[in-house]
Amino acid sequence: IAGSIPQEVANLDKLFMLDLTNNQLSGPLPQWWGSFSLSKLMLAQNKLTGEFFHNIYSPHLQSLQEVRLEGNGLVGTLDGTTIMQMQNLETLSLSSNDLSGLIPGFQLGSLSTLKFLYLDDNNFVGPLPSQLAQTGKSSMEELWVQSNYLSGTVPSSFVRFDMLHDFFIDGNKLTGAIPLQLCSAKLNKDFFSTLPNDAERNYCEYIACPAGSTSNEGVYPCSVCPGGDAAKFQNPYLGNSDDCSAYSQRDILRIFYESTSQSGWSGGSDWNDATKDVCQMTGITCDDHENIIKIGLKNRNLSGSIPGEIGFLPFLETLDLSDNNLTGFLPSDLRWTSLTRIDISGNKLRGVLPPMLCMMQELNGNGENNVYYCDRIACPANTFNTFGHHGYHGEPCQPCYDVYAPGEAYIGQKKCTNRQGPASGGFDWKKEIESLKETNESLNLFSKMALSIASIGLVTLMFALCTRGMCGNRRGPQSKLERKRILRQRVASSGSGSSSGSDDEEAHHGYSDDVELASVGSNVSRSSRNAMDLINDHKDIALSRPQKVKKAISSRLPEAQGVRTSFSNINVAARKKSLVRKASRGSVGEQYEGVDFGDDEDEYIDEEEDASSVENNFGGEGARIPKKKQTDLLDIPMIS
């Protein structure tokens, strides 16, 4: 069967199993499968392309038990969020594809039903994740990760795999020793069933040959490389299946030239001249002891891949391969050098940067203040800047929007291929931020206009009512002198030096000079009243709210200051600005869960503030907003 998988087939809502193994199917793997009952998807040994499942809403994820996609051409990375949806998965076979990136260990380890995991013969980098073996969820029986670019050591947590019987890690960049608790007669025994019972066995070699040794398949029986411990420098990896390495500087340069001269170097090359002194070759700089410390081959039309052998130049400090046509992946072997500067920008290198390389001290400024960033070595795929890396220049890597196929997403880009803006309907982070700022400014302006219009309307209405004798149950006094005279008469008629609370309320009902009335003949304590009380109790006074607070503070009421304005809507703009500032610092979902914006710490009226600063807090021009340091949206570590 040839051709692509029709989407109509993937949409079948009653599909239980699909087995199209060993055909000539091509085209991208469908991301949407419409059946909630699909338990087996068998598409191995075809020519399918595209990415592994990335659509977390596809109905089939919950029901899948067995997925076999080995022997295809899948590219890109494994999406941990999607894998977390496959809670019934027992078998996942992705061997012999072109997948790259990190292995999502936590997500795969969270699948308590997962028994058979085959990720061998791909381009995975980074560590062999210890979280594959989680307490209470370790059902793994077979784990194949050989023939990748994994680095680091074999996790001791794998001893939790009580039922593990097949485990292969050879052909990677793993170092150290295999935990002894893993080395047992039951592990990988099927491959050694023909050995006589009295044959000497090293059960750790059943998993992988140790550093400084080799074998045909990287596992038992292993042969020690000549040279003793010194041979371990150029043969540092577990499970080596190649010949033992003992390269000279000339050998390494020859291997590099052969690997990168598919189209011939521009300007010619003397790297294949066996009579030429190594330190006199084009682009080579040596120290006084004839150790190569710099390779500079910028814009020389290099094409092909970067061989890992270059990582065994122990004194190499600078490597400039920028602006060429190099493809493939950046080898993690470079961690064995003494690199402090590297530039691989302007090429067509794929995948992610090896984490072990990102952790190299002093490489492009990494390690300063104990901080390490991969983008200091190269901008991640689908990002760019003028230099192709953050490095010493300080220019952050920005998103590209013109790359859609994962196989065409390159690291270290200096420009986007077609455009530097989003695709139609895409997300443009710069425009979104500017839009947010404009929206906030518009909201502030609208709020000010609305408040002004409302204040004018209120003043007009109250003036009309009062002039018509409708400010209270009777016509109000016409002058301040008359109001004072009436108040004194009421105080005298009460037979004491003060009036009752009800008299006080009646006395000042409908009056405009509320502060004066509150200070003459009232038994309401100043300490029990604050600026908000004055505002709320005298809603019919023709003064704007900022003016009322200004007047309250100017009269020095003891508790009119330092009072939260949580129950007022007059600080809405201030709270919105505070939210925008905090949102730019990240972790919005966690930081604002259940937050009460009325309790914003910026809403306090400081005791030492003058009336003008308080007025500004109510939305006036020049409002004082505390300046807080903002975090660059892209200034985040590329590894955790």
Side-chain angles (χ1 to χ4, degrees):
I1 301 176
S4 60
I5 300 176
Q7 187 60 49
E8 290 79 4
V9 173
N11 288 341
L12 295 174
D13 58 0
K14 303 297 183 182
L15 188 63
F16 177 76
M17 181 182 73
L18 180 62
D19 189 351
L20 297 173
T21 303
N22 199 16
N23 281 286
Q24 299 296 316
L25 296 173
S26 58
L29 174 70
Q31 295 292 305
W32 179 272
W33 296 78
S35 175
F36 286 94
S37 305
L38 183 60
S39 62
K40 293 185 178 182
L41 188 60
M42 321 288 279
L43 300 173
Q45 305 303 325
N46 282 282
K47 299 179 180 179
L48 296 174
T49 58
E51 297 180 283
F52 186 64
F53 302 128
H54 274 64
N55 190 334
I56 64 173
Y57 302 107
S58 183
H60 76 298
L61 297 177
Q62 295 287 345
S63 58
L64 278 177
Q65 297 179 8
E66 184 174 359
V67 177
R68 304 196 70 95
L69 287 165
E70 68 267 21
N72 282 285
L74 300 180
V75 296
T77 61
L78 297 183
D79 181 60
T81 306
T82 305
I83 288 176
M84 284 286 285
Q85 307 302 314
M86 307 166 73
Q87 290 297 317
N88 291 307
L89 190 64
E90 296 180 3
T91 301
L92 177 60
S93 179
L94 298 172
S95 304
S96 301
N97 280 281
D98 197 18
L99 298 168
S100 58
L102 305 177
I103 296 176
F106 174 77
Q107 290 83 358
L108 286 169
S110 298
L111 306 180
S112 59
T113 59
L114 186 60
K115 298 178 180 179
F116 307 98
L117 179 60
Y118 308 105
L119 302 176
D120 52 294
D121 197 17
N122 280 284
N123 301 300
F124 291 111
V125 299
L128 185 57
S130 61
Q131 291 180 316
L132 273 174
Q134 299 181 23
T135 303
K137 298 182 179 181
S138 303
S139 303
M140 197 74 69
E141 297 183 20
E142 296 186 11
L143 177 58
W144 292 20
V145 293
Q146 71 269 25
S147 301
N148 281 285
Y149 299 102
L150 300 175
S151 55
T153 60
V154 179
S156 58
S157 63
F158 282 12
V159 299
R160 297 174 184 154
F161 290 140
D162 296 328
M163 295 180 287
L164 189 66
H165 56 78
D166 277 8
F167 179 43
F168 295 101
I169 60 171
D170 54 277
N172 281 286
K173 307 292 183 179
L174 297 168
T175 55
I178 298 173
L180 291 177
Q181 298 92 328
L182 275 175
C183 305
S184 64
K186 71 175 184 178
L187 205 56
N188 300 342
K189 65 179 181 180
D190 292 344
F191 290 82
F192 312 104
S193 57
T194 58
L195 288 177
N197 294 332
D198 58 349
E200 183 179 354
R201 288 176 171 82
N202 182 331
Y203 294 121
C204 286
E205 292 183 2
Y206 278 26
I207 301 173
C209 289
S213 65
T214 186
S215 74
N216 290 335
E217 295 186 2
V219 294
Y220 180 91
C222 308
S223 302
V224 178
C225 294
D229 291 339
K232 292 183 179 180
F233 171 73
Q234 291 191 348
N235 301 275
Y237 304 127
L238 300 175
N240 180 29
S241 59
D242 298 324
D243 294 335
C244 292
S245 303
Y247 299 124
S248 65
Q249 290 187 136
R250 184 181 295 275
D251 292 333
I252 294 173
L253 296 185
R254 175 182 53 80
I255 294 172
F256 182 88
Y257 175 75
E258 292 174 351
S259 180
T260 60
S261 60
Q262 294 180 1
S263 301
W265 291 8
S266 61
S269 173
D270 50 11
W271 280 38
N272 58 347
D273 186 353
T275 63
K276 186 88 171 187
D277 184 81
V278 169
C279 294
Q280 300 301 318
M281 290 182 176
T282 304
I284 299 296
T285 302
C286 294
D287 61 13
D288 295 338
H289 301 283
E290 297 187 345
N291 297 309
I292 297 176
I293 60 173
K294 180 179 179 180
I295 298 178
L297 296 172
K298 177 183 177 69
N299 196 21
R300 293 296 303 274
N301 194 38
L302 275 62
S303 58
S305 59
I306 303 174
E309 285 80 2
I310 196 174
F312 297 104
L313 294 173
F315 301 98
L316 184 64
E317 298 176 359
T318 302
L319 178 63
D320 187 354
L321 303 177
S322 58
D323 300 329
N324 286 288
N325 294 309
L326 295 171
T327 57
F329 303 88
L330 188 64
S332 66
D333 308 80
L334 290 170
R335 59 183 148 145
W336 304 115
T337 65
S338 302
L339 280 174
T340 58
R341 296 293 296 269
I342 185 174
D343 191 349
I344 48 90
S345 61
N347 285 283
K348 296 180 179 179
L349 299 173
R350 296 192 292 125
V352 301
L353 288 162
M356 298 295 291
L357 197 58
C358 300
M359 295 297 293
M360 285 186 65
Q361 188 79 14
E362 299 183 0
L363 181 56
N364 286 16
N366 262 333
E368 184 178 353
N369 298 323
N370 203 32
V371 176
Y372 298 83
Y373 294 97
C374 281
D375 63 355
R376 289 184 175 178
I377 299 174
C379 288
N382 286 331
T383 66
F384 80 104
N385 70 13
T386 307
F387 306 98
H389 59 86
H390 201 174
Y392 295 95
H393 310 289
E395 180 181 341
C397 301
Q398 302 178 13
C400 276
Y401 302 93
D402 59 344
V403 177
Y404 299 101
E408 299 176 2
Y410 305 125
I411 62 175
Q413 292 189 85
K414 293 183 177 180
K415 61 181 181 180
C416 292
T417 305
N418 297 320
R419 59 181 178 275
Q420 298 177 8
S424 178
F427 180 84
D428 187 341
W429 64 277
K430 284 188 174 181
K431 288 186 177 180
E432 291 296 329
I433 291 177
E434 292 300 324
S435 175
L436 181 62
K437 291 180 179 178
E438 293 175 1
T439 301
N440 186 52
E441 293 174 358
S442 299
L443 287 173
N444 290 340
L445 180 60
F446 177 79
S447 299
K448 295 173 185 177
M449 294 176 60
L451 182 60
S452 301
I453 294 173
S455 299
I456 294 173
L458 182 62
V459 170
T460 305
L461 177 62
M462 295 309 303
F463 178 78
L465 292 176
C466 289
T467 56
R468 296 174 182 271
M470 300 174 62
C471 289
N473 295 327
R474 57 178 178 81
R475 185 175 181 85
Q478 299 300 313
S479 67
K480 181 183 297 186
L481 181 62
E482 185 179 357
R483 293 199 298 271
K484 289 184 178 180
R485 181 179 58 78
I486 293 175
L487 181 59
R488 292 192 187 97
Q489 291 176 353
R490 291 184 176 179
V491 171
S493 64
S494 64
S496 61
S498 62
S499 63
S500 65
S502 59
D503 290 337
D504 176 71
E505 182 178 357
E506 183 181 356
H508 74 255
H509 184 76
Y511 293 2
S512 61
D513 198 354
D514 56 297
V515 174
E516 183 178 1
L517 291 178
S519 61
V520 181
S522 175
N523 65 350
V524 180
S525 171
R526 288 183 178 181
S527 62
S528 65
R529 308 190 71 190
N530 56 39
M532 291 308 303
D533 292 328
L534 294 175
I535 291 175
N536 293 328
D537 291 346
H538 300 84
K539 296 179 180 178
D540 54 343
I541 303 304
L543 291 174
S544 67
R545 287 180 173 177
Q547 289 174 313
K548 293 176 182 178
V549 175
K550 179 177 179 180
K551 181 173 288 188
I553 291 181
S554 64
S555 64
R556 304 303 293 175
L557 297 181
E559 290 197 7
Q561 304 161 35
V563 179
R564 288 180 186 254
T565 59
S566 308
F567 302 102
S568 172
N569 62 357
I570 55 181
N571 261 348
V572 170
R575 291 197 291 274
K576 288 180 179 177
K577 289 184 179 180
S578 177
L579 174 60
V580 172
R581 290 197 308 274
K582 294 182 180 179
S584 68
R585 297 165 60 185
S587 304
V588 178
E590 298 176 3
Q591 187 174 355
Y592 297 104
E593 184 176 0
V595 73
D596 180 5
F597 294 134
D599 289 337
D600 196 316
E601 61 183 3
D602 294 335
E603 294 180 41
Y604 277 108
I605 302 174
D606 190 87
E607 185 173 359
E608 297 300 324
E609 284 185 328
D610 57 17
S612 63
S613 66
V614 175
E615 180 176 354
N616 284 336
N617 281 337
F618 284 85
E621 293 295 323
R624 299 195 304 172
I625 305 290
K627 294 184 178 180
K628 297 184 180 179
K629 183 179 178 182
Q630 292 189 354
T631 302
D632 194 311
L633 295 178
L634 289 174
D635 192 19
I636 58 173
M638 300 302 296
I639 61 175
S640 58

